[in-house]
């Protein structure tokens, strides 16, 4: 029995469905069912009754539920209290960072704001990926980190995230340095005619979907190649190895030494900012409340 199994048990209890619980955890309904099966086997308890329309708690499950909630609440409290002791009574905020989600934009701002928010301390943590999720690092938000700096749009925010906008990234086309496209100052859709273009599949990013629609409307001969989820380092390796074009964004210009990113001619931009879960916990909520009172007026809040 582990922490994730107990969280999954509570989500299934709440939503009455393996599929709906999986959507909240960014994993498949089958993966949720396997977690519950393992939990029931380890505890030798029957927690749910499976029906054609969903699942319901058994009497044993109903008895077990409040204890699980208390246990997880107590664990969260213990972690937060322990972090405060280690940090000289400061509230420790874990900010996830990685190659694809660099924290530079926020940390530059934090240098100015830190003296005005003395009860908080930022700790950078390396983001891990949840490979069962199409949202990968985003799926770890609230688990291995309190906040991340990442892209978002209405599609992202519908998936249990909240965001405070810090700016906007611009689209570009990443190609191998020996690709003829690398010599251009700007790439238009006509430059991509009859070419393969690597990009995330539809439904993950509203802004990416807008670029896809705009691109295919302007040049139907372009061949989109879908990734299995959001980008990871293998996406950049594939672009190099296959010598194809890839939709890229401002902060990814220097991820791979063999790739050159050329601005794409489009008016579509992608907002980026500070992302949290919809229900981040008191410590993170307090931080975000203080932060939003101090950020520049042009910064926009989303929820």
């Amino acid at each position: 029995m582990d922490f994730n199994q107990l969280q999954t048990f509570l989500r299934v209890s709440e939503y009455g469905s393996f599929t709906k619980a999986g959507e909240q955890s960014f994993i498949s309904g089958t993966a949720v069912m396997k977690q519950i099966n393992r939990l029931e086997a380890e505890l030798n308890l029957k927690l749910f009754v499976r029906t054609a329309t969903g699942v319901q708690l058994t009497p044993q499950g109903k008895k077990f539920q409040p204890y699980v909630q208390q246990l997880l609440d107590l664990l969260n409290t213990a972690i937060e209290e322990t972090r405060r002791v280690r940090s000289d009574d400061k509230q420790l905020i874990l900010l996830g960072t990685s190659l694809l989600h660099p924290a530079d934009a926020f940390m530059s701002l934090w240098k100015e704001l830190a003296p005005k928010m003395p009860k908080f301390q930022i700790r950078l943590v390396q983001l891990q990926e949840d490979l069962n999720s199409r949202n990968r690092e985003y799926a770890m938000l609230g688990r291995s980190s309190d906040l991340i700096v990442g892209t978002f749009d209405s599609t992202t925010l519908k998936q249990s995230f909240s965001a405070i906008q810090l700016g906007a990234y611009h689209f570009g086309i990443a190609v191998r340095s020996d690709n003829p496209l690398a010599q251009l100052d700007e790439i238009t859709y006509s430059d991509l005619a009859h070419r393969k273009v690597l990009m995330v599949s539809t439904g993950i990013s509203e802004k990416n979907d807008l670029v896809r629609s705009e691109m295919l409307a302007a040049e139907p001969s372009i061949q989109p190649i879908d990734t299995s989820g959001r980008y990871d380092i293998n996406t950049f390796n594939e672009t190099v190895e296959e010598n194809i074009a890839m939709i890229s964004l401002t902060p990814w210009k220097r991820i791979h030494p063999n790739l050159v990113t050329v601005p794409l001619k489009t008016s579509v931009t992608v907002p980026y900012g500070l992302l949290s879960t919809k229900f981040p916990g008191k410590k993170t909520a307090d931080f975000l409340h203080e932060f939003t009172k101090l950020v520049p007026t042009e910064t926009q809040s989303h929820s």
Side-chain angles (χ1 to χ4, degrees), residues 241-284:
E241 292 162 7
E242 300 294 329
N243 197 12
I244 58 178
M246 181 190 78
I247 297 291
S248 188
L249 287 174
T250 307
W252 303 338
K253 290 181 179 179
R254 297 178 180 84
I255 286 183
H256 200 293
N258 290 339
L259 288 178
V260 173
T261 300
V262 181
L264 176 65
K265 187 176 182 180
T266 177
S267 61
V268 182
T269 59
V270 183
Y272 73 87
L274 208 54
L275 272 69
S276 67
T277 60
K278 290 283 189 187
F279 305 101
K282 186 178 185 305
K283 174 196 66 174
T284 306

Side-chain angles (χ1 to χ4, degrees), residues 173-218:
I173 298 294
V175 290
R176 212 164 69 185
S177 55
D178 60 349
N179 191 301
L181 292 175
Q183 307 307 313
L184 301 178
D185 294 325
E186 182 181 63
I187 290 177
T188 65
Y189 293 128
S190 61
D191 295 322
L192 299 172
H194 304 289
R195 292 179 179 272
K196 295 179 179 179
V197 178
L198 192 62
M199 62 195 312
V200 296
S201 57
T202 56
I204 293 179
S205 165
E206 175 192 22
K207 300 297 185 178
N208 185 83
D209 292 350
L210 284 176
V211 168
R212 180 191 292 258
S213 298
E214 188 179 85
M215 179 177 70
L216 293 178

Side-chain angles (χ1 to χ4, degrees), residues 62-259:
K62 290 178 181 178
K63 187 72 173 178
F64 188 54
Q65 184 185 32
Y67 290 106
V68 172
Q69 187 65 64
Q70 290 176 24
L71 178 62
L72 294 183
D73 289 344
L74 181 61
L75 180 59
N76 286 331
T77 300
I79 292 171
E80 290 194 8
E81 291 296 326
T82 303
R83 284 172 178 164
R84 279 201 291 269
V85 171
R86 284 201 314 243
S87 305
D88 299 324
D89 293 330
K90 288 192 175 186
Q91 297 283 323
L92 189 63
I93 302 295
L94 302 181
L95 179 67
T97 184
S98 69
L99 281 174
L100 288 166
H101 297 280
D104 307 35
F106 169 78
M107 293 308 295
S108 297
L109 184 58
W110 179 244
K111 289 180 182 179
E112 301 175 15
L113 298 182
K116 302 174 184 178
M117 299 176 64
K119 70 177 182 179
F120 296 103
Q121 178 176 324
I122 298 294
R123 172 178 291 174
L124 294 177
V125 295
Q126 179 65 41
L127 283 171
Q128 303 297 317
E129 294 183 355
D130 184 341
L131 297 180
N132 292 317
S133 168
R134 292 202 309 164
N135 280 306
R136 301 180 193 271
E137 292 163 321
Y138 283 66
M140 301 302 292
L141 187 56
R143 294 156 66 182
S144 62
S145 63
D146 301 310
L147 302 167
I148 64 172
V149 177
T151 60
F152 65 91
D153 51 35
S154 62
T155 302
T156 310
L157 298 183
K158 287 175 182 176
Q159 299 176 10
S160 301
F161 300 116
S162 294
I164 299 170
Q165 185 171 347
L166 299 177
Y169 292 145
H170 295 274
F171 281 100
I173 298 294
V175 290
R176 212 164 69 185
S177 55
D178 60 349
N179 191 301
L181 292 175
Q183 307 307 313
L184 301 178
D185 294 325
E186 182 181 63
I187 290 177
T188 65
Y189 293 128
S190 61
D191 295 322
L192 299 172
H194 304 289
R195 292 179 179 272
K196 295 179 179 179
V197 178
L198 192 62
M199 62 195 312
V200 296
S201 57
T202 56
I204 293 179
S205 165
E206 175 192 22
K207 300 297 185 178
N208 185 83
D209 292 350
L210 284 176
V211 168
R212 180 191 292 258
S213 298
E214 188 179 85
M215 179 177 70
L216 293 178
E219 190 53 67
S221 67
I222 295 173
Q223 305 170 49
I225 305 296
D226 292 345
T227 62
S228 59
R230 292 184 182 271
Y231 289 2
D232 60 19
I233 194 63
N234 292 324
T235 312
F236 294 81
N237 288 331
E238 181 180 353
T239 303
V240 172
E241 292 162 7
E242 300 294 329
N243 197 12
I244 58 178
M246 181 190 78
I247 297 291
S248 188
L249 287 174
T250 307
W252 303 338
K253 290 181 179 179
R254 297 178 180 84
I255 286 183
H256 200 293
N258 290 339
L259 288 178

